[in-house]
Amino acid sequence: MPSEKYGVPRDIYSKVKILGLFMVDFAFVGGSGVAAINIGTKIFPTSQWPQLLAFVLLTPLMCLYLVLPTNGGKKNWQSMFLFFRRRRKRYISLNYKRGDR
């Protein structure tokens, strides 16, 4: 009897994971790379090829960081969104006048 393992999901609504990331995340990172190439060639002139290369390489890396899971089962972009949403008073005016003057 062969002991082959087939990748049959238990549930019809289960999501496909490859290397610990969902297929949607791979599509997002790949799409960001394609968009970086498309936008970067329009922004940077041919004399700035090192900046173009850095832009094309760093954009998918940053997007990969945003979709990686963090502590608590959320992704990094969800954690950042919750952090900024929770802090209502982020900015303090420089010419803030106190009530005692």
Side-chain angles (χ1 to χ4, degrees), residues 17 20-21 25 64-76:
K17 270 188 169 181
L21 291 175
D25 297 339
L64 179 65
Y65 171 75
L66 289 175
V67 298
L68 285 176
T70 128
N71 195 9
K74 297 198 178 303
K75 297 180 181 175
N76 282 326

Side-chain angles (χ1 to χ4, degrees), residues 22-74:
F22 294 112
M23 288 297 294
V24 175
D25 297 339
F26 274 122
F28 176 69
V29 172
S32 70
V34 171
I37 292 171
N38 191 13
I39 294 171
T41 55
K42 295 177 183 175
I43 293 175
F44 297 104
T46 56
S47 62
Q48 293 181 341
W49 63 269
Q51 289 86 351
L52 172 66
L53 184 63
F55 179 74
V56 169
L57 291 176
L58 290 177
T59 301
L61 285 176
M62 288 188 289
C63 291
L64 179 65
Y65 171 75
L66 289 175
V67 298
L68 285 176
T70 128
N71 195 9
K74 297 198 178 303

